[in-house]
Amino acid sequence: MNTVGTAVLLAAAPAGRGRAMDAASVLPALAAVPPGVLTGTAAATVVELADPLDPQTVLTRLRAAAASPGPLVVCLAGQLHLDRRQQLPHLALARTTPATLRYTALPWHWLAGELGARQPGTTTVVADLAADPDVWQRLTAAPGLLHPGPGTLLYGRVVPAPRKGEPTTPEYLRAWAELWRSGARLTPAAAHAEAAARARTVAPAPEPVFLAPPTARAPGPGPASTPGSAPVPVPAPATVPGSAPVPAPATRPAPAPESASGAAYAPRPTPGPVSTPVPAARPVPLPAIPPAFVPATPPAPAPTSGQAPVVDPHPAILAAAMAGRHGEAAAVAAAWEHEALRRHGPRSVEAVHWTEVRADLARLSGEPARSCELWLAAAEARLGLGQRSDDPDVEGAVDRAHHQWEQIGDRDRARALGPTLVGLRRRVPGRRPGALAALTRRMG
């Protein structure tokens, strides 16, 4: 059976004076490329997003594309802005303004999180971006700011956003489209080098930052990307089914009160047999975690002779999040969730555990709506597994979802999540009297 690929063509920029790149101008050139050429497969599905308005809509389309089993190519043109509160880059959408950035732009780590869950080597991102001064300053010092997640190949060009005059144009991505249409059978690394050279010819100044895997750097004096600092361990490919158990979830952690924020899960290391050693992350000092939120992990079988122990990824994921590398932390957690789904299936406590880890990472990155959404999913999944409504794991998930819902500043998002939360609160009233009544009052 022939493999079917997926291509996502995303071009986004604010309307009016905030537009720093004419992102949509490259879509006709990309649309003229045969779909199979974009993905290197006999057949392909193309998803085109031209100046989308809502980050949730973009996330939904990206998630659907990432769920496809074949090769995925994401062509991205747009502009990056830094959320000064979170210090995280966001891709501006059509309605984005400096005042509404957190609610109307797509966080870069959302993109990394969705793509990072895919099988390594099946995902390529080709990006042509303009960066605001804050992003540009950070990017030139640390190209790992745009780390795309484990297993995703990122080829791109980033230029500083023009302060005045006409918006810049995505010449680098246009060069990729021309190469694809020419019929040239180039490797991604060779296409990147050729596109970088053409973009320099069309727009020689200022010197851009070119992003590529270490083995595919663009020629010339411009800086190239390096891998993100302090890499977090990701699941190694298994050669023997069931050879590397995913760290088990919490058995019965104490539930979080609505007024208290949960802490990221950091279970004690669990040894287990693997067929391929997993690299350890560079040590980073970890913050203190309230004891109530450190779940006890049941022991796993000890490794047999000649096999390396599993490196517990939780401390390194938490360290990355606390160091501000939220995209990297989210992407690695998504990769472990994908591995848990592959090994144990969607109806498993292992998969639910990683949904809960991602929920708490969203809390740490200041995304209460996303955190609430994931905690709701975790609670529903635990109930679906047959856990009782008074089980501390179930109560804790609903309590945390309720608390995160109260932190949402976007009223539309809060209203959208409210009915699901009310439905769960009716089934899981929790230990604190009046939680449902307080919720329904706030819902109005």
Side-chain angles (χ1 to χ4, degrees):
M1 183 169 58
N2 291 331
T3 302
V4 177
T6 303
V8 177
L9 313 181
L10 172 56
R17 294 169 55 187
R19 177 163 296 197
M21 174 176 277
D22 186 9
S25 65
V26 76
L27 285 178
L30 289 171
V33 179
V37 174
L38 288 170
T39 59
T41 56
T45 300
V46 176
V47 178
E48 183 174 310
L49 297 170
D51 283 326
L53 301 175
D54 177 46
Q56 289 294 328
T57 300
V58 178
L59 178 64
T60 300
R61 303 296 293 274
L62 285 171
R63 184 172 295 160
S68 61
L72 172 63
V73 175
V74 178
C75 297
L76 178 61
Q79 57 194 72
L80 296 172
H81 297 263
L82 192 70
D83 174 14
R84 296 187 179 180
R85 177 178 170 183
Q86 300 174 319
Q87 294 296 299
L88 295 173
H90 286 55
L91 179 72
L93 302 182
R95 294 188 300 187
T96 300
T97 65
T100 64
L101 179 68
R102 293 190 66 199
Y103 308 108
T104 60
L106 181 75
W108 183 265
H109 60 274
W110 283 16
L111 172 72
E114 296 302 325
L115 301 184
R118 288 175 50 84
Q119 187 73 19
T122 63
T123 310
T124 303
V125 177
V126 183
D128 205 343
L129 303 164
D132 76 0
D134 292 328
V135 173
W136 180 254
Q137 182 179 7
R138 292 193 60 183
L139 183 65
T140 52
L145 178 70
L146 299 182
H147 190 278
T152 300
L153 301 177
L154 171 63
Y155 299 91
R157 178 192 73 151
V158 186
V159 298
R163 295 182 180 274
K164 295 181 181 179
E166 292 295 319
T168 188
T169 53
E171 299 302 330
Y172 169 79
L173 191 52
R174 194 186 311 277
W176 273 81
E178 292 171 353
L179 290 169
W180 277 322
R181 290 180 64 191
S182 71
R185 295 181 177 273
L186 300 177
T187 64
H192 166 71
E194 177 64 24
R198 293 189 186 188
R200 279 200 182 98
T201 301
V202 175
E207 183 63 41
V209 169
F210 287 102
L211 306 171
T215 57
R217 295 178 180 177
S225 69
T226 57
S229 60
V232 179
V234 297
T239 57
V240 180
S243 63
V246 175
T251 51
R252 295 182 67 85
E258 288 179 33
S259 60
S261 58
Y265 285 97
R268 293 188 292 272
T270 304
V274 292
S275 56
T276 305
V278 182
R282 184 186 305 166
V284 180
L286 297 178
I289 302 173
F293 300 106
V294 181
T297 304
T304 59
S305 177
Q307 291 180 321
V310 171
V311 176
D312 175 28
H314 297 80
I317 291 173
L318 175 59
M322 299 306 295
R325 303 196 310 277
H326 297 289
E328 180 183 347
V332 175
W336 279 95
E337 181 183 42
H338 178 76
E339 184 71 1
L341 289 167
R342 186 184 69 81
R343 291 172 184 256
H344 305 284
R347 292 179 56 84
S348 64
V349 290
E350 291 84 359
V352 176
H353 168 70
W354 285 103
T355 300
E356 292 174 340
V357 171
R358 291 175 60 210
D360 214 42
L361 291 174
R363 176 189 66 82
L364 291 172
S365 67
E367 300 176 71
R370 179 67 171 152
S371 180
C372 174
E373 184 180 46
L374 289 167
W375 280 119
L376 291 173
E380 292 276 15
R382 287 193 177 279
L383 289 169
L385 290 172
Q387 292 182 247
R388 294 166 52 92
S389 61
D390 60 352
D391 187 296
D393 287 344
V394 177
E395 289 182 336
V398 177
D399 286 346
R400 290 178 174 94
H402 191 158
H403 174 70
Q404 289 300 299
W405 182 82
E406 291 180 336
Q407 312 306 310
I408 299 173
D410 184 341
R411 293 183 179 181
D412 291 338
R413 289 286 292 130
R415 278 195 293 267
L417 293 170
T420 303
L421 179 57
V422 169
L424 270 174
R425 262 295 175 223
R426 290 198 174 106
R427 299 165 64 188
V428 187
R431 308 289 176 92
R432 304 195 72 184
L436 177 60
L439 175 61
T440 52
R441 280 197 304 271
R442 291 199 60 174
M443 286 287 293

